[in-house]
Amino acid sequence: MKQTAESIRDRFLKLGVDVPVEDVESRLDELINKFKVPSNEAQRSVTNYFLKKYSIPKNEFYVRQAEPQLTKIVDISENGQWANLKAKVVQLWENTHESISQVGLLGDETGIIKFTEWKNAELPRLEQGESYLLRSVVVGEYNGRFQVQLNKNSSVEKLDEPIAVGGGDFTPAARESELRNISDLAGGQWATVKGKVVQLWENSHESIEQAGLLGDHTGVIKFTNWASSELPDMEEGKSYLLKNVVVNEWGGKAQIQLNRSSSIEELDENIEVGSSTSTYFGAMVDIQTGSGLIKRCPECKRALVKGACAEHGKVKGEYDLRIKAVLDSGTSTQDALINRELTEELAGISLDTAIAMAADALDPGVVLDKLKHELVGRYYTVTGHKLDRYILVDSITQKTSLDREKLDEMLTLNETLNKPEVQ
Amino acid sequence: MPGFFREAARRVFAQELKDSNLTSRDESDQYAPQYVLTPTGAKVNRIFLVGTLIEKEDIGTDSEYWRGRVSDPTGSFLVYAGQYQPEAAQFLSECELPAFVAVVGKTSTYTTDDGNVLTSIRPESIQQVDELTRNLWVLDTAKQTLERIRAVEAEEDQNSKLAKEHYSTDTDSYRTMVKKALESLEERK
């Protein structure tokens, strides 16, 4: 601890301030031994105390310190490490959070790394394609990958000579991504897609320009066009070529995002959207919560949770009936959404009856129980459009007869297979 | 797909489940599901069965704890439902015997002092169904069991290899079991 105290004193001496070493030590002692603060935290806290006491700006103090050596991106290997980098801004991304001022990729001859610049760092804006000397950035780890963060203590200096980036030029403009079918899109890639705007959704957030569904002959996918992409609006029913969109996965399903690097071209052709109807046969093994008698927001039709809509807050809901069912074939499972009409038909109750049942029992749960009672355990075939993990059910039929032919066929098959081994 | 996925409910006849004694579980993860590997290589966590509820008994001491016996053409399954399976427990307490029931649940195993593994079912749901549904299940389960038997004979994948290795599965006897089950449907022609 004595050493720590002296090193703190030494650092202040360099700034021309003589702090009493006993004072430093007693403060450290109190934090570490009495209040069980980890030593490095205590050290920082004590340092900050004296900085404040002598009104030394933090930046000045930290910058004056012996500078860490220049680090190559490939050598970044430790969470919490400080580093100085000479790197080129390979790509700037959409900024998703208000406390972040810029986010993107930095590259040098050894590799590429993600960077985040916090708003409170108050640094000049970095430009894509320019090279900089970045001092005192902090290495962080997120999702198993390293990234660097620019904070209040970091500094940025533009370099005249460009830094070469290893592995070629990563700027998306230089590398047009491949044209792909919508059904082949998977997370974490760039792609170019051709598709028709099947549906435009009501815009839920000011940072989103447009969101909706895009379809081609292989399927339908959700798209988001960020306001910051500064791309033109698309119209429902028209077909477009979307270049350099980002595919990512959310909740296990792929979606595409248009950003500043993307482009939109309207096409003359009318792209046929594949009728991606699928059929599934299995036993209904579960009806999930959120099924039965529910209330929907009168504005956006979303299901209410505890009487409130995620978008519009407390609203007077409209009653609806629906089933979120899980069908199971024994080797796979399939979620199915069954609308009011089909629910009424399947369960033999109308919406009004359901409302009356719930009112009578003072509990909408009785409707759910009734549905489970009528449907769970039975075999059904459903058909409908596939959206994410759901089949939006157009038709559902209960299996009502045993396939005698199949039975006979299986018996004979079993016989014939059995015989050679018996002999 | 990363993260959560739903376990498919396997289709296994009672006799085969009774013969099963190989359990596996990812020990590094306390939330990892437990599986039972059956002699034909079904890796069972969730199970779906339709059969006849032939016995029920409240074996609880303080609170209700119901044991039900559900039979299929090859044997019977034991289903236990207590306070954590309120819907299933309520069903068992109220229903009349015998009845066709469809059970969705998780398998759980118990090893006796002499090393026998007993497999029972903790139901997520029990519903009364009709005879047709029961017959459909028998056909469905026969089909899937035959498919697994074929895979074991061909030692097609990890599970069938493991099953063959552990049980030295006599596939003929399971073919006979399936045949018996299918014939029980035939008689009703």
Side-chain angles (χ1 to χ4, degrees), chain A residues 18-187:
Chain A
D18 189 4
V19 294
V21 74
E22 303 76 36
D23 195 5
V24 178
E25 205 180 332
S26 74
R27 281 175 189 283
L28 281 173
D29 177 63
E30 183 181 53
L31 285 174
I32 296 174
N33 296 323
K34 193 166 167 202
F35 290 97
K36 312 295 175 207
V37 175
S39 144
N40 55 349
E41 284 294 317
Q43 198 178 329
R44 189 170 68 182
S45 161
V46 171
T47 308
N48 286 344
Y49 167 81
F50 286 108
L51 287 173
K52 202 164 182 187
K53 184 167 171 189
Y54 297 104
S55 340
I56 304 167
K58 275 187 193 173
N59 309 357
E60 198 175 319
F61 179 79
Y62 285 108
V63 169
R64 291 258 194 114
Q65 281 181 48
E67 267 184 8
Q69 302 246 301
L70 273 181
T71 308
K72 295 292 180 206
I73 286 175
V74 72
D75 295 329
I76 288 177
S77 59
E78 196 187 323
N79 198 359
Q81 166 191 11
W82 290 74
N84 293 342
L85 301 174
K86 269 187 176 176
K88 179 170 168 177
V89 178
V90 175
Q91 221 175 72
L92 286 174
W93 293 345
E94 296 313 317
N95 182 350
T96 50
H97 199 279
E98 56 188 19
S99 62
I100 293 173
S101 75
Q102 281 187 301
V103 57
L105 293 177
L106 294 173
D108 68 10
E109 58 272 34
T110 66
I112 287 191
I113 194 163
K114 179 183 165 189
F115 80 92
T116 306
E117 183 190 317
W118 300 104
K119 196 144 259 167
N120 62 14
E122 289 171 10
L123 292 169
R125 292 191 76 78
L126 304 180
E127 286 168 52
Q128 189 163 313
E130 294 293 339
S131 299
Y132 298 86
L133 169 60
L134 306 146
R135 284 205 186 88
S136 304
V137 299
V138 183
V139 178
E141 202 181 337
Y142 183 70
N143 276 346
R145 288 190 180 184
F146 289 113
Q147 54 177 39
V148 296
Q149 310 197 3
L150 282 68
N151 59 27
K152 252 186 282 190
N153 299 319
S154 313
S155 73
V156 166
E157 199 179 302
K158 195 162 167 179
L159 300 173
D160 291 334
E161 87 270 29
I163 302 286
V165 175
D169 201 340
F170 278 80
T171 42
R175 219 178 53 148
E176 189 170 304
S177 36
E178 223 173 302
L179 182 65
R180 286 174 198 276
N181 287 332
I182 283 179
S183 62
D184 297 337
L185 297 175

